[in-house]
Amino acid sequence: MYGVSKITSEQNIMLTTFPGAQYSAQSLAEHLDVFAKAGIVVDMICQSAPRGSAVDFSFTTSYDNFAAVMKALPAAAKANPPLVSGGYSKINLFGEDMVTSCGVGARALAALAGASIEIVLITTSDLDISLRSDGNQKTGATPFKGLHLFFIYSCGSTLLPETAGIQPHT
């Protein structure tokens, strides 16, 4: 299946972004340390390309951590006020064969675009792609449904999500 052997999804995700954060490993470590000390598990850490001495720096976490994140923000906020938003879904594509498979990201994004699902944040490694989306407000489509389309149309699979290795994250 083009290198993808497992797809999981998670609902109720929030995004915290620090626009114009100082471009240094030390600064980013200090930001993350505030949340680690507060017992908040972060995921999908993403940094933009540097613009002079600044970067935009984001991470996701479960919306269940909203109160803890809000409590920790004053210690993490440095120059610019952070941006916090929630109500997103996260989908993860995983496969050991993705290392040698071309076009996995393009196919996944095309499937989501075909379901009118826009992507807000992407992180990748050689074994996985994590995408955060707000779904389709008009049709109620979720990224989970969009990736089922990915398996049907891109892979020629007629499997149900459960038998294709697609499971909601628990």
Side-chain angles (χ1 to χ4, degrees):
M1 292 198 231
Y2 295 109
V4 177
S5 60
K6 182 178 179 182
I7 297 177
T8 61
S9 67
E10 187 175 348
Q11 306 300 312
N12 206 24
I13 300 297
M14 66 183 283
L15 174 70
T16 302
T17 300
F18 295 92
Q22 181 183 350
Y23 173 49
S24 76
Q26 182 63 39
S27 174
L28 299 180
E30 289 170 3
H31 278 87
L32 289 174
D33 190 51
V34 169
F35 298 98
K37 288 178 178 174
I40 300 166
V41 176
V42 303
D43 189 19
M44 290 185 72
I45 301 167
C46 185
Q47 172 193 302
S48 69
R51 296 177 313 279
S53 62
V55 295
D56 294 336
F57 167 65
S58 302
F59 66 83
T60 61
T61 188
S62 170
Y63 198 79
D64 295 341
N65 294 322
F66 180 79
V69 168
M70 296 309 289
K71 186 176 179 181
L73 277 178
K78 302 205 184 232
N80 299 320
L83 307 171
V84 179
S85 56
Y88 301 101
S89 300
K90 181 173 74 170
I91 48 181
N92 298 301
L93 290 76
F94 174 83
E96 291 182 13
D97 291 338
M98 287 175 60
V99 175
T100 57
S101 299
C102 297
V104 177
R107 286 182 182 89
L109 292 172
L112 293 171
S116 298
I117 297 171
E118 293 300 331
I119 302 303
V120 180
L121 183 70
I122 300 173
T123 60
T124 67
S125 76
D126 54 351
L127 299 176
D128 73 345
I129 301 172
S130 297
L131 306 140
R132 199 204 67 172
S133 169
D134 56 3
N136 180 328
Q137 300 301 321
K138 293 180 184 175
T139 66
T142 64
F144 181 76
K145 292 177 187 173
L147 281 178
H148 186 207
L149 292 173
F150 167 72
F151 272 89
I152 292 172
Y153 297 113
S154 297
C155 305
S157 172
T158 57
L159 299 173
L160 295 173
E162 298 80 24
T163 58
I166 304 172
Q167 298 294 326
H169 180 75
T170 55

